[in-house]
Every structure is written in structure tokens, then in C-alpha cells.
Amino acid sequence: MIPYIRSEMEKYYLYPGKIFFSKESHIVDTILGSCVAVFVWDPVLRFGSVNHYMLPTGNTEKNEPFKYGKSATEELVIRMLKSGSAKNDLRAKIFGGSDLANPGGAFNIGQRNIKIAQQVLSDEKIPIISYSVGGILGRKVTFNSGSGIVLISYIRRDIKVIDQQIKQLSNTFRR
């Protein structure tokens, strides 16, 4: 069994609109709200890649093609195949797509981001073996690119509000 974190592994923070790819094992962290991260991993060659995109589709002719789910996810597959992976070996995981800002809103960015990931992976015939998508909580995800393991922590936006309510209640009871 491969341990989740080895001391010699390099760590990398993945910013929105970027892709991480390396045949060397890394720990990759990112934080997601309505954004989505797609992890593509090769369990045979034991390496993977991940994106962090903000919108499902858009104008990829600009200098930021990886801020869009369609082009960012297609690029993950291209990089894996160019590095020796067999398409039949690839596996995917999808995380994010929360509806933080406007639950049930008209734009549904999170849901649209999820759907584009599912569509591209379906078109590429890459199975989705794990996911945590949607809802109203943000996520901190940590990916071990050598083992394919992903850890998730959920993030609540209203923690400060709860803390303020507790302070107000404690002040009320002190009177």
C-alpha cells in the first residue's frame, strides 16, 4: 500500500484556470466553490493530472483556455495520452460545482460546470470512479498524483455568522 503523503513529495497549489500535470508524484491542493476540478489518473503507470476551471465553455482563443471546463478537461486527456497512458486505463474523479453564491439561481454555474465534465469524460469514454459535486458547501481537495487518492474537506461560508450568533446569545444570557 502506498502511503498518502511521503515526506519527499513536492506540494503544489492549483489556482483557478490552471492545470497540473507531472509524471512525478505530488500533493496537489485546491479550493473549490462553483468551480470544478477533474482528476484524471492512470492506475497502471501511477500518475495523474488535474484541472481547476471556472466556467463550462467559452472563448479559448485568449490566453486562458484552462479556465473553461471543456478545453481544460480535454487537455488533461491529451497530456495523459502523450505521456504514455492507454486510454482504457484512465480513470476520472470530479469535485466541486457548489451553488454557494445564489442557490437555485438562474445561472447555475456549478451545475453547468459539473455537466461539462461529465460530458467530456463520457465522450472520451473515461469512467468517473469517484465524485463529490453540487450542494452548497465549498471543498478543499487534496490529490496525491502518485496514488490517485483524493481527500476532501468541506468549507462552510456561514461560520462567521454562526460565531457572531453564539457571541450574541452568550451576551444575552449574561445579562
Side-chain angles (χ1 to χ4, degrees), residues 94-95 130-132 138-142 150-154:
I94 305 173
F95 300 95
S130 179
Y131 60 89
S132 173
R139 292 165 176 85
K140 177 183 186 239
V141 290
T142 302
V150 177
L151 300 179
I152 307 166
S153 300
Y154 293 94

Side-chain angles (χ1 to χ4, degrees), residues 38-42 47-49 76-77 80 90-92 121 143:
V38 174
F39 301 80
V40 177
W41 191 64
D42 183 332
F47 73 95
S49 59
L76 293 182
V77 176
M80 295 296 290
L90 298 181
R91 303 292 179 261
L121 294 167
F143 175 54

